[in-house]
Every structure is written in structure tokens, then in C-alpha cells.
Amino acid sequence: MLTGLLIGVVWLVVGVALVVTGRRRRAASAQEGAGGAAVIGVFLLAVGGLTLFATLLLAVVPGPP
């Protein structure tokens, strides 16, 4: 369970870092597609959230007898 939580937290941290970086690049650059890292960051935030949810759900729901 601890491994799943750590993996989920890492996905969330990387996702937040990419969103922040992408938004800063988009604001600083006039080029089209400068904020592409933000899109990847949002995807990683979703993956991290689902990983945490699945890990916590497996910890709470009892398995087969």
C-alpha cells in the first residue's frame, strides 16, 4: 500500500511541476505551443489522482475470503 501511495504522490508532484512550468512558458513566449508541458502535467495529475484513489480503494475493500 505504501508503494502505491508514494507512486501516486510522485505523479502528482511531477504533474504540478509540469503545469506550473508550462503556464510560465506560455506566459513568457509568444510562440504557439509554448505551454505544451501544461497539457502533459494535467494528464499526470489525473494519473496520480487515479493511482491514489485505486490504492486507497484496494486498502479499504476487503479481498476474497
Side-chain angles (χ1 to χ4, degrees), residues 1 4-5 8 46-61:
M1 179 176 148
L5 291 175
V47 169
L50 289 173
T51 302
L52 287 175
F53 175 74
T55 302
L56 294 174
L57 186 65
L58 288 173
V60 172
V61 176

Side-chain angles (χ1 to χ4, degrees), residues 13-65:
V13 169
V14 171
V16 167
L18 284 176
V19 167
V20 169
T21 303
R23 287 188 177 179
R24 286 184 183 172
R25 285 185 182 170
R26 184 184 309 149
S29 177
Q31 292 181 349
E32 188 171 334
V39 176
I40 297 170
V42 170
F43 173 74
L44 292 179
L45 286 174
V47 169
L50 289 173
T51 302
L52 287 175
F53 175 74
T55 302
L56 294 174
L57 186 65
L58 288 173
V60 172
V61 176

